[in-house]
Amino acid sequence: MSYVSHLECSVCGQRRQGGQVHNLCECGGPLLVRYHLDKAKAAWKRDSLVSAPTSMWRYAPLLPVRDSSHIISLGEGMTPLLKVDRLGSKLGAKNLWVKDEGINPTGSFKARGLSCAMSMCVELGLRKVAIASAGNAGSALAAYAAAAGIEAYIYMPRDVPQSNYTECRAYGAHVTLVDGLISDCARLIAERKDAEGWFDISTLKEPYRIEGKKTMGYEVAEQFVWTLPDAIFYPTGGGVGLIGMWKAFEELEALGWISGHRPKMIAVQAAGCQPVVRAFEGGESRSTFWENAQTLAAGLRVPKPLGDALSLAAIRASGGTAIAVSDTELLDASIELATASGIFPAPEGGACVAALEKLLSNGFLKPEERIVIYNTGTGLKYLEAFSTRFPRTSRSEQDKLGGLITPR
Ligand SMILES: Cc1ncc(COP(=O)(O)O)c(C=O)c1O
Ligand SMILES: [Zn+2]
């Protein structure tokens, strides 16, 4: 059962009833789900998790779905939290961990948000959904829409990784490739959605994806036996994972399941698209549009995140920071992580390793601190980007299509 209470605007605080279809507040603010935390505290005990499902739905009491028959799950969440000692000793971090989100369905943490949001679409009777995506959210939406039997309309930049486009098509989604960025995709959906009868499930434009993503925060607490790390590195595009985890820590404190300090939240961006870093360094509460955004870490190519104010507030409240790394650094660091740990990360995850190196060498972090890097996806989804480091010459077109397994 869910302890959901109501929805609350993150900007003006206005309340709305749950169980109804909502996008943004009239003031333009994203809506957040609130729960009866006092009732949950009285009745829901963390020891009961022993017999809970081994997916993110183990936290169903603090997720918004009221009727469990509406849950659309492909086994998302409960991803491994891995101690990476060989990488740690190379970098001078004695207590370094990777939360490997690449294990999720469709190979990224986006599965969490879309499992939750699509379950809510089923609960609310929505039949057609549209998304503006940097790539991985499109793949995840397509998969969960296929599982739910809902029609998905996906707008993404023409130059997304091939994996994203292929997955969306294979899952039967309607895909529109756009000559532009996620911001252009969002505009096109806004223009068409009313005429087409689409529900806009783009980042923070509905209240439920963040609820799925927050489970990354519940899990890290549970996996560390109800303690939190000293620092969390999160590759920040829209920033929703970071905001979600911050919300999760607040909720766990209200339940009395954790106490003590919260981690420093460290937002990592790419040098070619760093609106949150610029706003953080400038002391601003909101970001401004990053012109000509460019990075091969496709998920970080978000020039003006809708959740910028919430991310910046969480970073500051946590005593964290925001830092950018170049594409060369993030690709080098991805390969360094793979070689030293056996985890082949998305370039977004690699960006966190590059950022960690910088923050250890400038003394922002100490070697003894317990540090968690969120590897938000698998490197297998970015073969074009990695093939620039590992080019393979082929003798014919046939070789590229699997002819390699044929003996000559
Ligand atoms: C692999 C990966 N990492 C990180 C992000 C950024 O996520 P968020 O919107 O939570 O900042 C994305 C978004 O597309 C992504 O695909
Ligand atoms: Zn509002």
Side-chain angles (χ1 to χ4, degrees), residues 9-14 16 25-29 31:
C9 173
S10 59
V11 175
C12 73
Q14 198 186 313
R16 279 175 187 70
C25 176
E26 288 93 56
C27 80
L31 301 178

mmCIF file of all heavy atoms in Angstrom, residues 9-14 16 25-29 31, ligand 2:
data_model
loop_
_atom_site.group_PDB
_atom_site.id
_atom_site.type_symbol
_atom_site.label_atom_id
_atom_site.label_comp_id
_atom_site.label_asym_id
_atom_site.label_seq_id
_atom_site.Cartn_x
_atom_site.Cartn_y
_atom_site.Cartn_z
ATOM 1 N N CYS A 9 3.608 21.882 -5.156
ATOM 2 C CA CYS A 9 4.466 22.597 -6.096
ATOM 3 C C CYS A 9 5.790 22.933 -5.406
ATOM 4 O O CYS A 9 5.802 23.466 -4.295
ATOM 5 C CB CYS A 9 3.782 23.869 -6.585
ATOM 6 S SG CYS A 9 4.902 24.862 -7.599
ATOM 7 N N SER A 10 6.895 22.623 -6.103
ATOM 8 C CA SER A 10 8.216 22.853 -5.506
ATOM 9 C C SER A 10 8.591 24.329 -5.504
ATOM 10 O O SER A 10 9.572 24.712 -4.889
ATOM 11 C CB SER A 10 9.269 22.044 -6.268
ATOM 12 O OG SER A 10 9.271 22.436 -7.628
ATOM 13 N N VAL A 11 7.807 25.161 -6.207
ATOM 14 C CA VAL A 11 8.119 26.594 -6.245
ATOM 15 C C VAL A 11 7.174 27.386 -5.343
ATOM 16 O O VAL A 11 7.607 28.085 -4.430
ATOM 17 C CB VAL A 11 8.062 27.128 -7.698
ATOM 18 C CG1 VAL A 11 8.273 28.637 -7.739
ATOM 19 C CG2 VAL A 11 9.109 26.416 -8.555
ATOM 20 N N CYS A 12 5.845 27.265 -5.574
ATOM 21 C CA CYS A 12 4.920 28.126 -4.819
ATOM 22 C C CYS A 12 4.255 27.386 -3.652
ATOM 23 O O CYS A 12 3.554 27.992 -2.854
ATOM 24 C CB CYS A 12 3.861 28.719 -5.750
ATOM 25 S SG CYS A 12 2.633 27.523 -6.300
ATOM 26 N N GLY A 13 4.468 26.078 -3.567
ATOM 27 C CA GLY A 13 3.943 25.332 -2.419
ATOM 28 C C GLY A 13 2.482 24.934 -2.528
ATOM 29 O O GLY A 13 1.961 24.246 -1.649
ATOM 30 N N GLN A 14 1.816 25.358 -3.610
ATOM 31 C CA GLN A 14 0.388 25.026 -3.747
ATOM 32 C C GLN A 14 0.180 23.516 -3.772
ATOM 33 O O GLN A 14 0.957 22.790 -4.384
ATOM 34 C CB GLN A 14 -0.115 25.644 -5.050
ATOM 35 C CG GLN A 14 -1.627 25.752 -5.120
ATOM 36 C CD GLN A 14 -2.060 26.234 -6.507
ATOM 37 O OE1 GLN A 14 -1.501 27.184 -7.031
ATOM 38 N NE2 GLN A 14 -3.031 25.572 -7.089
ATOM 39 N N ARG A 16 -2.069 19.958 -4.491
ATOM 40 C CA ARG A 16 -3.041 19.355 -5.396
ATOM 41 C C ARG A 16 -3.314 17.940 -4.938
ATOM 42 O O ARG A 16 -2.467 17.328 -4.307
ATOM 43 C CB ARG A 16 -2.467 19.270 -6.805
ATOM 44 C CG ARG A 16 -2.579 20.549 -7.539
ATOM 45 C CD ARG A 16 -1.891 20.455 -8.881
ATOM 46 N NE ARG A 16 -1.894 21.762 -9.487
ATOM 47 C CZ ARG A 16 -1.180 22.778 -9.048
ATOM 48 N NH1 ARG A 16 -0.390 22.649 -8.011
ATOM 49 N NH2 ARG A 16 -1.256 23.948 -9.643
ATOM 50 N N CYS A 25 2.795 22.902 -12.300
ATOM 51 C CA CYS A 25 1.919 23.862 -11.622
ATOM 52 C C CYS A 25 1.680 25.059 -12.553
ATOM 53 O O CYS A 25 2.488 25.316 -13.450
ATOM 54 C CB CYS A 25 2.619 24.316 -10.346
ATOM 55 S SG CYS A 25 1.760 25.590 -9.425
ATOM 56 N N GLU A 26 0.618 25.807 -12.317
ATOM 57 C CA GLU A 26 0.383 27.019 -13.145
ATOM 58 C C GLU A 26 1.563 27.979 -13.089
ATOM 59 O O GLU A 26 1.833 28.716 -14.023
ATOM 60 C CB GLU A 26 -0.849 27.807 -12.684
ATOM 61 C CG GLU A 26 -2.179 27.171 -12.990
ATOM 62 C CD GLU A 26 -2.650 26.331 -11.825
ATOM 63 O OE1 GLU A 26 -2.756 26.880 -10.712
ATOM 64 O OE2 GLU A 26 -2.883 25.121 -12.029
ATOM 65 N N CYS A 27 2.275 27.985 -11.958
ATOM 66 C CA CYS A 27 3.408 28.908 -11.824
ATOM 67 C C CYS A 27 4.630 28.403 -12.591
ATOM 68 O O CYS A 27 5.667 29.059 -12.608
ATOM 69 C CB CYS A 27 3.751 29.122 -10.350
ATOM 70 S SG CYS A 27 4.735 27.791 -9.635
ATOM 71 N N GLY A 28 4.525 27.223 -13.203
ATOM 72 C CA GLY A 28 5.654 26.677 -13.960
ATOM 73 C C GLY A 28 6.526 25.747 -13.132
ATOM 74 O O GLY A 28 7.472 25.147 -13.647
ATOM 75 N N GLY A 29 6.224 25.620 -11.853
ATOM 76 C CA GLY A 29 7.052 24.789 -10.963
ATOM 77 C C GLY A 29 6.734 23.305 -11.117
ATOM 78 O O GLY A 29 5.579 22.935 -11.317
ATOM 79 N N LEU A 31 5.903 19.590 -9.813
ATOM 80 C CA LEU A 31 5.167 19.096 -8.645
ATOM 81 C C LEU A 31 5.913 17.922 -8.017
ATOM 82 O O LEU A 31 6.483 17.084 -8.721
ATOM 83 C CB LEU A 31 3.773 18.619 -9.070
ATOM 84 C CG LEU A 31 2.881 19.671 -9.729
ATOM 85 C CD1 LEU A 31 1.543 19.038 -10.141
ATOM 86 C CD2 LEU A 31 2.629 20.847 -8.784
HETATM 87 ZN ZN ZN B 2 3.472 26.544 -8.212
#
